[in-house]
């Protein structure tokens, strides 16, 4: 087969119902097949496209599997040191208040090494968007325990399962930051089914739109899988996520328009 | 006519930054430099020029705010003192790696650890040899007066943007805290977004249809490409060495002995030189103004002329190593220093020169 075979050779124009946003580059994603990062990237960029704010958007990439987010997202981006994205974004928003600023971070990045930067940026009520992908593990470095690793969950540094006595409790960072007066919108979503993708996308849209209100941080957690780190097939990983992660990290809005919502 | 003001070194830094048209300052309190942030808060530069001032939750956050602002092409700075600057090293390494301009002021105090709040020059190595991880250099300016504290802010910003590199003002508690008269340069305008886009086409100001997206990163996973980046950086540092060396010489023409000292030590040494000259000892003083790039060539030249060199520093002997490298064994190079926040007296310098070079 020719190497130059393109989408037009496979699908005729009239049958084409979906194509990726131009705000995702053509670069092949570096994520494991089945990983949620790719979908989270895509819906974030779809929102930037739909809002027509590419020229006014600056993203901050983390350290972790998504360290190369700037290779895939077709917007101006800065790569920050491990955990420091909220500090970087704070300056960006304060110095360019009319721009849309977002950080894209994993749980190791946001809830471990960057706890201070996260809590203080949220508490100051900086007006940017945080997209927080929680897969309960350090993916990039080979599956070590994260602050969000569940009790009993295995990782390379909790090989017999997280022993809370020895290793401490998992951190519900999203519930924690929802308590802070500086956060305006805090929600927990997932991207493992089309329905959830739609909901997550709506949440991200709201999070970006909120920046025009200047009322504080919008924080979108996306509970995701790490099939490689969890040592499961993508399907098993998603099932495991539904059965084990969701009960501990329940999906849905936690804070809307500055008010905690009781569920 | 510009107005002459009586001010602390730390306050002069803050006022000079407002006048230099700086866009942002991000800091965290630590003695002996807290007056920088305090002055900003009193002066309300937000109302004067629109400059953004923020007290960060830590030095780590402050330097990363500087990183973000610098990447957007803004004139941004931070200041701190030794333990705080240690915390900023991670960010500085990233900023140097990503080739961004910014200004950082270190008003040094004695260490190691929490140490003392008294002045010291013991962060010389950390400042001129890189400081954080990886092969990188900062341009390091060493003021010895309140006037220079002010002047080096705009000079520092200019050099930072010229080389897209962080510049450090390496001061200490003496110069930060003492009051002297200072004359300021006229107010410069802050650049508009459009001016920044022109002046800094690399800045992350939002991807417009006429250009590719701008990415600011210090990551390169392919070793060969990372090496090329390192080679490029080293070329830049070489260019700084070739073009940006600054120093001052006093009484060097007929000197038989040379004292090399920077910052507040140089002030002490100028008194010592006077005393020595009165006693018939022909001694000169060289004051490096840039510690990186170091006045290697000039010191090497003077080594042909003098019988010995004394490095006077408020530390256990750090700059003396760069002097020895410059001299390359031509003459004896000795060190005299007080540590832990103790300030040397001019007569101690006189004694050290007599004992270590003339008598010894
Ligand atoms: C200062 C520092 N410490 C440690 C690392 C190593 N490191 C890289 S990624 C990572 C964990 C990232 O995990 P997470 O944020 O959960 O993202 P994921 O890879 O799971 O998407 C660590 C510890 C680093 N790059 N910098
Ligand atoms: S290691 Fe885990 S988080 Fe990283 S790309 Fe693979 S599946 Fe995704």
């Amino acid at each position: 087969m020719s190497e130059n075979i393109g989408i037009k050779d496979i699908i005729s124009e009239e049958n084409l119902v979906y194509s990726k946003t131009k705000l995702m580059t053509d670069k092949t994603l570096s994520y494991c097949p089945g990983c949620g990062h790719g979908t989270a990237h895509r819906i974030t960029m779809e929102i930037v496209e739909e809002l027509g704010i590419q020229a006014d958007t600056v993203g901050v990439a983390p350290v972790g599997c998504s360290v190369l987010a700037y290779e895939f997202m077709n917007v101006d981006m800065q790569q920050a040191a491990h955990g420091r994205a909220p500090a970087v974004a704070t300056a960006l928003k304060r110095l360019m208040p009319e721009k849309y600023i977002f950080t894209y971070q994993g749980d190791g990045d946001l809830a471990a090494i960057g706890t201070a930067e996260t809590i203080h940026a949220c508490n100051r009520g900086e007006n940017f968007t945080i997209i927080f992908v929680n897969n309960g593990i350090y993916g990039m470095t080979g599956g070590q325990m994260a602050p969000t690793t569940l009790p009993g969950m295995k990782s390379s540094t909790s090989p017999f399962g997280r022993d809370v006595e020895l290793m401490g409790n998992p951190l519900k960072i999203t519930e924690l930051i929802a308590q802070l007066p500086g956060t305006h919108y805090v929600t927990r979503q997932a991207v493992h089914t089309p329905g959830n993708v739609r909901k997550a996308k709506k949440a991200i849209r709201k999070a970006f739109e909120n920046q025009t209100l200047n009322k504080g941080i919008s924080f979108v957690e996306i509970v995701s899988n790490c099939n490689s780190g969890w040592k499961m097939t993508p399907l098993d990983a998603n099932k495991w996520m539904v059965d084990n992660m969701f009960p501990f990290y329940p999906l849905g809005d936690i804070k809307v328009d500055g008010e905690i919502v009781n569920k | 006519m510009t107005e002459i003001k009586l001010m602390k070194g730390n306050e002069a830094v803050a006022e000079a930054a407002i006048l230099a048209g700086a866009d942002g300052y991000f800091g965290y309190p630590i003695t002996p430099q807290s007056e920088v942030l305090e002055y900003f808060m009193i002066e309300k530069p937000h109302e004067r020029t629109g400059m953004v001032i923020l007290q960060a939750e830590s030095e780590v956050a402050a330097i990363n705010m500087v990183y973000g602002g610098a990447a957007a092409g803004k004139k941004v700075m931070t200041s701190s003192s030794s333990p705080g600057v240690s915390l900023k090293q991670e960010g500085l390494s990233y900023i140097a790696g990503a080739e961004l301009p910014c200004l950082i002021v270190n008003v040094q105090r004695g260490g190691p650890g929490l140490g003392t709040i008294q002045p010291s020059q013991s962060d010389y190595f950390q400042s001129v040899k890189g400081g954080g991880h990886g092969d990188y250099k900062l341009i390091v300016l060493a003021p010895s007066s309140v006037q220079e504290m002010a002047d080096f802010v705009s000079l520092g910003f200019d050099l930072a943007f010229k080389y897209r590199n962080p510049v450090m003002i390496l001061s200490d508690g003496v110069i930060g805290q003492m009051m002297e008269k200072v004359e300021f340069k006229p107010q410069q305008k802050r650049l508009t977004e459009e001016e920044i886009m022109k002046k800094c086409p690399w800045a992350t100001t939002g991807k417009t249809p006429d250009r590719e997206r701008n990415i600011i990163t210090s990551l390169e996973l392919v070793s060969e490409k990372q090496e090329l980046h390192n080679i490029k950086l080293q070329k830049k540092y070489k260019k700084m060495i070739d073009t940006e060396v600054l120093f001052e010489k006093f009484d060097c023409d007929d000197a038989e002995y040379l004292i090399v000292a920077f910052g507040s030590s140089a002030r002490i040494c100028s008194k010592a030189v006077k005393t020595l000259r009165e006693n018939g000892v022909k001694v000169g003083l060289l004051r490096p103004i840039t510690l990186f790039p170091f006045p290697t060539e000039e010191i090497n030249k003077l080594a042909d002329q003098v019988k010995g060199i004394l490095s006077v520093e408020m530390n256990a002997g750090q700059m003396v190593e760069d002097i020895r490298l410059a001299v390359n064994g031509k003459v004896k190079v000795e060190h005299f220093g007080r540590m832990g926040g103790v300030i040397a007296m001019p007569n101690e310098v006189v004694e050290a020169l007599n004992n270590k070079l003339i008598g010894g």
Side-chain angles (χ1 to χ4, degrees):
Chain A
M1 272 237 287
S2 155
E3 276 182 20
N4 298 327
I5 194 157
I7 192 147
K8 285 202 183 93
D9 303 300
I10 306 167
I11 305 167
S12 52
E13 201 112 19
E14 62 273 20
N15 291 337
L16 193 65
V17 288
Y18 172 83
S19 62
K20 78 170 175 61
T21 161
K22 285 195 179 66
L23 297 201
M24 285 294 284
T25 65
D26 289 334
K27 188 117 184 163
T28 309
L29 291 175
S30 51
Y31 305 111
C32 307
C35 173
H37 269 308
T39 314
H41 275 27
R42 196 195 74 215
I43 56 176
T44 305
M45 285 302 102
E46 280 175 357
I47 290 303
V48 174
E49 185 189 24
E50 287 166 23
L51 296 176
I53 55 171
Q54 183 190 27
D56 295 316
T57 300
V58 181
V60 185
V63 166
C65 279
S66 43
V67 68
L68 289 171
Y70 57 78
E71 293 271 314
F72 314 124
M73 297 181 176
N74 194 10
V75 290
D76 276 4
M77 285 193 86
Q78 302 182 6
Q79 198 286 318
H82 200 24
R84 316 295 177 222
V88 171
T90 294
L92 280 172
K93 189 69 185 190
R94 291 211 175 208
L95 289 162
M96 303 191 294
E98 72 292 354
K99 306 272 170 185
Y100 291 82
I101 308 294
F102 74 94
T103 72
Y104 185 99
Q105 302 177 259
D107 45 85
D109 194 80
L110 181 143
I113 194 168
T115 322
E117 284 79 3
T118 302
I119 288 183
H120 286 281
C122 288
N123 199 43
R124 282 193 302 265
E126 304 293 342
N127 293 301
F128 58 81
T129 297
I130 294 179
I131 315 272
F132 165 45
V133 178
N134 176 10
N135 55 22
I137 207 160
Y138 290 7
M140 181 189 233
T141 39
Q144 294 86 7
M145 185 176 72
T148 48
T149 300
L150 297 177
M153 185 174 165
K154 284 183 183 169
S155 76
S156 72
T157 51
S158 57
F160 308 107
R162 182 180 196 144
D163 179 345
V164 169
E165 286 285 306
L166 285 176
M167 300 157 183
N169 298 292
L171 181 61
K172 289 188 179 175
I173 186 90
T174 305
E175 275 79 355
L176 203 149
I177 72 118
Q179 303 302 319
L180 305 175
T183 49
H184 183 64
Y185 174 51
V186 180
T187 185
R188 185 182 281 124
Q189 303 290 334
V191 290
H192 62 303
T193 64
N196 283 95
V197 171
R198 270 196 293 277
K199 279 192 206 154
K201 195 173 154 181
K202 242 173 101 178
I204 292 171
R205 170 184 278 272
K206 191 173 170 66
F208 272 89
E209 284 173 344
N210 278 344
Q211 290 200 37
T212 55
L213 302 176
N214 260 7
K215 286 203 168 152
I217 288 227
S218 296
F219 188 99
V220 182
E221 174 178 339
I222 296 175
V223 181
S224 188
N225 59 13
C226 175
N227 38 287
S228 293
W230 298 355
K231 304 199 186 318
M232 295 175 198
T233 64
L235 277 179
D236 288 348
N238 279 347
K239 187 170 180 327
W240 193 89
M241 175 176 72
V242 173
D243 294 345
N244 298 278
M245 295 279 280
F246 291 174
F248 196 83
Y249 299 112
L251 304 187
D253 291 342
I254 299 170
K255 192 178 196 179
V256 180
D257 298 337
E259 299 290 333
I260 300 277
V261 288
N262 289 318
K263 296 176 50 102
Chain B
M1 264 290 286
T2 42
E3 204 185 334
I4 292 175
K5 286 187 177 165
L6 184 68
M7 255 191 193
K8 275 191 178 190
N10 289 334
E11 296 167 343
V13 160
E15 179 60 32
I18 302 169
L19 293 170
D23 295 302
Y25 170 91
F26 305 93
Y28 186 81
I30 181 171
T31 309
Q33 68 76 53
S34 296
E35 292 87 357
V36 179
L37 180 58
E38 286 166 358
Y39 184 90
F40 277 131
M41 291 309 189
I42 292 167
E43 271 303 306
K44 297 190 186 161
H46 189 75
E47 289 172 11
R48 277 174 63 183
T49 65
M51 182 182 180
V52 169
I53 310 292
L54 184 62
Q55 177 169 339
E57 65 270 29
S58 69
E59 288 87 351
V60 177
I63 192 69
N64 282 284
M65 291 171 184
V66 166
Y67 173 98
K74 302 280 183 180
K75 239 185 199 183
V76 282
M77 66 180 292
T78 183
S79 68
S80 190
S81 179
S82 309
V85 176
S86 293
L87 281 173
K88 290 184 194 289
Q89 296 303 331
E90 175 198 52
L92 275 174
S93 171
Y94 274 72
I95 293 170
E99 293 196 84
L100 298 174
C102 73
L103 184 64
I104 160 160
V105 182
N106 182 359
V107 183
Q108 294 169 91
R109 61 190 239 182
L114 201 48
T116 168
I117 57 170
Q118 300 304 324
S120 169
Q121 295 181 321
S122 49
D123 300 350
Y124 177 91
F125 280 150
Q126 189 195 51
S127 315
V128 306
K129 307 289 180 191
H133 62 284
D135 276 326
Y136 74 90
K137 298 280 190 192
L138 313 176
I139 294 179
V140 182
L141 302 168
S144 74
S145 64
V146 173
Q147 183 64 55
E148 282 188 338
M149 283 288 263
D151 291 346
F152 290 0
V153 170
S154 51
L155 173 65
F157 274 128
D158 288 349
L159 288 168
F161 275 88
K162 179 172 175 187
Y163 289 98
R164 282 184 63 184
N165 204 70
V167 172
M168 177 180 279
I169 296 179
L170 186 65
S171 179
D172 65 59
V174 173
I175 298 157
Q177 291 297 326
M178 75 183 178
M179 289 181 101
E180 280 185 322
K181 62 180 196 295
V182 52
E183 204 178 326
F184 290 101
K185 297 201 171 89
Q187 175 75 57
Q188 278 175 264
K189 271 217 179 86
R190 289 178 51 235
L191 297 187
T192 63
E193 211 77 23
E194 287 68 36
E195 287 166 333
I196 288 175
M197 282 160 88
K198 252 198 215 129
K199 189 180 167 209
C200 310
W202 44 264
T204 48
T205 47
K207 188 209 166 310
T208 44
D210 56 331
R211 66 155 167 86
E212 281 300 298
R213 69 196 192 284
N214 280 340
I215 292 164
I216 300 290
T217 180
S218 59
L219 173 71
E220 180 47 71
L221 291 168
V222 182
S223 314
E224 285 75 13
K225 283 197 190 161
Q226 181 63 44
E227 187 181 37
L228 285 178
H229 180 59
N230 275 274
I231 291 168
K232 182 182 160 216
L233 290 179
Q234 295 304 321
K235 272 196 191 142
K236 180 164 89 172
Y237 306 145
K238 174 74 172 50
K239 196 169 162 218
M240 292 170 185
I241 292 170
D242 292 341
T243 42
E244 305 300 345
V245 176
L246 293 173
F247 57 85
E248 241 181 8
K249 284 195 294 184
F250 306 92
D251 291 333
C252 282
D253 291 350
D254 64 342
E256 293 176 359
Y257 295 95
L258 179 69
I259 295 176
V260 183
F262 68 94
S264 48
S265 289
R267 294 175 74 107
I268 294 153
C269 288
S270 60
K271 181 83 193 340
V273 167
K274 218 172 141 208
T275 311
L276 283 159
R277 286 251 165 200
E278 278 163 13
N279 291 327
V281 185
K282 288 185 175 167
V283 55
L285 171 65
L286 183 137
R287 175 172 81 91
I289 292 173
T290 50
L291 296 176
F292 180 86
F294 192 66
T296 305
E297 229 173 275
E298 190 61 28
I299 292 173
N300 184 287
K301 258 193 268 168
L302 283 165
D304 292 329
Q305 171 193 328
V306 299
K307 294 179 194 154
I309 299 177
L310 183 70
S311 178
V312 179
E313 312 165 57
M314 294 200 290
N315 59 39
Q318 299 191 17
M319 180 175 69
V320 67
E321 294 192 5
D322 286 334
I323 301 171
R324 288 201 177 113
L325 283 173
V327 165
N328 203 11
K330 277 191 218 169
V331 288
K332 196 169 173 186
V333 178
E334 292 286 347
H335 168 265
F336 171 71
R338 297 295 303 267
M339 292 176 283
V342 180
I343 303 168
M345 291 293 125
N347 65 311
E348 293 176 316
V349 178
V350 171
E351 210 173 297
L353 189 115
N354 277 325
N355 291 342
K356 292 183 181 216
L357 291 181
I358 301 176

